[in-house]
Amino acid sequence: MSSLPYTTPSLPTILSLTSFILLLNLFRYTLDSFLYCGLLGEIFIGTLYGLPLNGIAWLSLPVQQTVQNLGYLGLIALVFEGGLSTSASDLRKTAIISVSVATIGLTVPIALSFLLLRFPLQGTYPSPLAAFSGGCEFVLYELGDDGFGRRGNGVVLVGAALMDDVVGLVMVKIVTTLGSGDFTAWPIARPIVASFALLLVTLIITPWILRPLVDAARTWLVLHDASMERGAFGRSLDRFKLIVCNIPHFSFMLATLVLIAFVTIAAFIDASVLFAAFIAGGLIKTLWDVSPSAGATIVAADAAANMYKKYYHHVVSYVLAPFFFASIGFAIPIRDMFQGAIVWKGILYSLLMVVAKAAVGLAIYAESLVQEIRKQHPRTAQQQEGSKGLPHVPALIISLAMVARGEIGFLIASLSSSSGTLALQKAGSTTTGAVSGGQEMFLVIIWAVIVCTLIGPVGVGIVVRKLRSLESKQPNSSPESHRRLILGRWA
């Protein structure tokens, strides 16, 4: 058959797809409103619709595969948005403390996971990849409201989570290589080398080649001279410029072409596709971030964010991103998660990962100690304002926030399971029980991600709400001054 005949879907198909999309958004909105972890609701709906109940699956296997493919497009778009919203100037202000927070957030979970290799639990040897399941993402919903996310805490979180995400996005590519059983150096190092080579080349050519070309093209397009003295060719050229400047949806098409180009290059050189999407977003943000004095009329201020909000936001937020988390739910054997051995191992590993990720607060105390020492120096004493006492509240906020969301954790765990990486156990180890060692390890990791995704957002929400409550009880002082009194230099 050379073509696909058009047939109308049956009523059960229409109702299942409609209820699937509606429930994904309903559960996300409900859990975001009360527990700040809407992605868990989407994953739950995925397990419900993907799991055959009484021998009947609510979504057929081809439909689930379609949802999985569309969901991956949503993940690429989410990572692309991360690049578009990254401000290099803000990150430079807190570079040192952000690197410190990110380093602790990466090394401590990995170290504790390696430590568990010395204390196996009934033959189950946890993979070092599970160290990232504590969540490479962060919550900034509550911090974003009322301006918290744009101040010291928020900027540090953005920088630290960005560095965690970079490692996580590259790890996504590495785990599929490990699953093939090839442990030679180059196949494992190739995704890392290719990904950071792509980043390095982009950083080199952007200021020296791309930015001058974009500025020259922008200047050429906005300079119109319809003088009759220029002749027919000059007037035709001006009309061409006007046509180009008024192409509908030009910014969307240009940004999408750049994204497609980077994703294609990354796939061709065996780099991380998700990391390439992030680089594409950062490149567009850099090239479109022009000053008002530049005289640009084609690209407005904050055009990258406005473009995403206009063209990407709604379809990604309400369809593609929920599809991604639902596809994660398709891969979770929910019945096996509640076996006794898996439950207690999962909770134990969850608590271990919560402690490991929350250890990032130590960097805040260390930075505060350095500032106190510097205050003793006459030249720096006058610069240290608002840093009285120990920074308990900022350290608590950053610790809880770095525990939080686990998109990358879910993704790495799922790919590790599907590629066979988690099944690569220590020689001579045996597994017992109803599930295999790889699947048991996968379920333990999922428990850790779920618990971290619950504890982090809820903790941040409670702390920030408490801060707002204290602000409202100070009628004689402005919220800004009261916030600075509590958070000090982190306000």
Side-chain angles (χ1 to χ4, degrees):
M1 182 179 296
S2 60
S3 62
L4 177 66
Y6 178 80
T7 57
T8 58
S10 63
L11 180 61
T13 301
I14 295 174
L15 293 179
S16 61
L17 288 174
T18 304
S19 61
F20 179 63
I21 295 175
L22 290 177
L23 288 177
L24 282 175
N25 288 278
L26 177 62
F27 271 64
R28 185 199 68 234
Y29 174 80
T30 302
L31 290 180
D32 268 343
S33 300
F34 295 98
L35 297 176
Y36 318 104
C37 54
L39 65 90
L40 292 184
E42 295 167 339
I43 292 174
F44 171 73
I45 294 299
T47 61
L48 184 64
Y49 274 74
L51 183 69
L53 300 176
N54 298 323
I56 301 176
W58 290 5
L59 294 178
S60 63
L61 182 60
V63 172
Q64 291 184 40
Q65 292 173 339
T66 302
V67 169
Q68 187 179 64
N69 293 333
L70 292 175
Y72 195 74
L73 292 181
L75 177 61
I76 291 177
L78 288 175
V79 176
F80 181 56
E81 181 191 13
L84 291 174
S85 59
T86 300
S87 174
S89 59
D90 288 342
L91 294 179
R92 280 194 292 265
K93 297 176 183 178
T94 58
I96 297 178
I97 185 63
S98 294
V99 170
S100 302
V101 170
T103 302
I104 295 176
L106 287 170
T107 56
V108 175
I110 293 176
L112 291 181
S113 293
F114 273 108
L115 181 63
L116 288 180
L117 295 175
R118 306 294 300 176
F119 303 97
L121 302 177
Q122 297 182 1
T124 301
Y125 289 80
S127 167
L129 298 177
F132 296 97
S133 299
C136 295
E137 294 287 334
F138 58 96
V139 256
L140 222 52
Y141 297 118
E142 284 299 306
L143 293 174
D145 298 337
D146 203 21
F148 279 100
R150 296 183 295 274
R151 289 171 166 80
N153 279 322
V155 175
V156 172
L157 281 174
V158 169
L162 171 61
M163 296 170 196
D164 272 8
D165 287 345
V166 167
V167 176
L169 295 177
V170 177
M171 286 296 297
V172 169
K173 185 67 179 179
I174 293 176
V175 293
T176 57
T177 303
L178 292 175
S180 64
D182 189 353
F183 291 97
T184 56
W186 176 241
I188 297 175
R190 183 172 57 207
I192 303 176
V193 174
S195 298
F196 285 97
L198 181 61
L199 174 62
L200 182 61
V201 171
T202 304
L203 291 176
I204 292 175
I205 68 174
T206 297
W208 300 105
I209 300 178
L210 297 181
R211 189 59 182 262
L213 288 176
V214 170
D215 290 342
R218 183 183 295 122
T219 303
W220 179 75
L221 286 173
V222 298
L223 291 178
H224 302 292
D225 184 4
S227 173
M228 297 296 293
E229 298 178 357
R230 298 187 61 192
F233 176 78
R235 291 193 297 272
S236 299
L237 186 60
D238 285 334
R239 283 194 294 270
F240 171 75
K241 294 178 182 180
L242 289 173
I243 292 173
V244 172
C245 292
N246 291 279
I247 293 178
H249 318 298
F250 179 74
S251 61
F252 164 70
M253 291 188 293
L254 182 61
T256 304
L257 287 175
V258 172
L259 174 61
I260 293 174
F262 270 82
V263 168
T264 304
I265 292 172
F268 182 76
I269 64 176
D270 205 23
S272 169
V273 169
L274 298 178
F275 189 36
F278 182 87
I279 297 174
L283 175 64
I284 293 173
K285 168 74 172 178
T286 302
L287 295 180
W288 290 7
D289 189 11
V290 295
S291 62
S293 60
T297 58
I298 300 175
V299 181
D302 204 12
N306 292 335
M307 180 279 302
Y308 185 91
K309 184 177 181 181
K310 181 178 181 180
Y311 294 103
Y312 281 87
H313 174 73
H314 290 91
V315 67
V316 172
S317 298
Y318 298 110
V319 180
L320 296 182
F323 277 6
F324 165 68
F325 294 112
S327 65
I328 296 295
F330 294 160
I332 299 177
I334 191 68
R335 292 194 184 102
D336 297 331
M337 281 191 65
F338 294 95
Q339 296 183 14
I342 293 178
V343 171
W344 75 261
K345 292 176 185 178
I347 294 177
L348 178 62
Y349 188 67
S350 303
L351 297 177
L352 191 66
M353 289 298 101
V354 168
V355 173
K357 296 294 288 186
V360 299
L362 297 176
I364 306 300
Y365 285 106
E367 199 272 347
S368 177
L369 179 61
V370 171
Q371 295 296 334
E372 289 295 327
I373 295 175
R374 293 182 62 188
K375 285 174 61 177
Q376 308 301 322
H377 197 284
R379 295 183 178 180
T380 60
Q382 296 179 353
Q383 302 176 1
Q384 311 299 324
E385 298 178 357
S387 58
K388 300 177 181 179
L390 294 176
H392 299 304
V393 175
L396 180 61
I397 291 177
I398 291 179
S399 296
L400 292 173
M402 288 300 290
V403 168
R405 291 176 62 185
E407 292 95 325
I408 302 299
F410 278 119
L411 181 63
I412 293 178
S414 298
L415 287 177
S416 300
S417 178
S418 61
S419 64
T421 304
L422 294 179
L424 301 175
Q425 298 182 8
K426 187 176 178 180
S429 65
T430 59
T431 59
T432 60
V435 296
S436 64
Q439 187 179 28
E440 181 177 3
M441 195 180 304
F442 169 67
L443 294 175
V444 170
I445 295 172
I446 292 299
W447 268 106
V449 179
I450 290 175
V451 171
C452 288
T453 307
L454 279 171
I455 292 178
V458 173
V460 172
I462 292 174
V463 173
V464 175
R465 282 184 176 180
K466 181 63 175 178
L467 290 178
R468 292 179 184 163
S469 176
L470 293 175
E471 289 178 2
S472 63
K473 295 179 181 179
Q474 300 293 330
N476 297 327
S477 61
S478 65
E480 180 72 23
S481 61
H482 185 70
R483 184 182 303 148
R484 182 167 293 277
L485 179 63
I486 297 176
L487 299 178
R489 62 184 299 268
W490 301 98

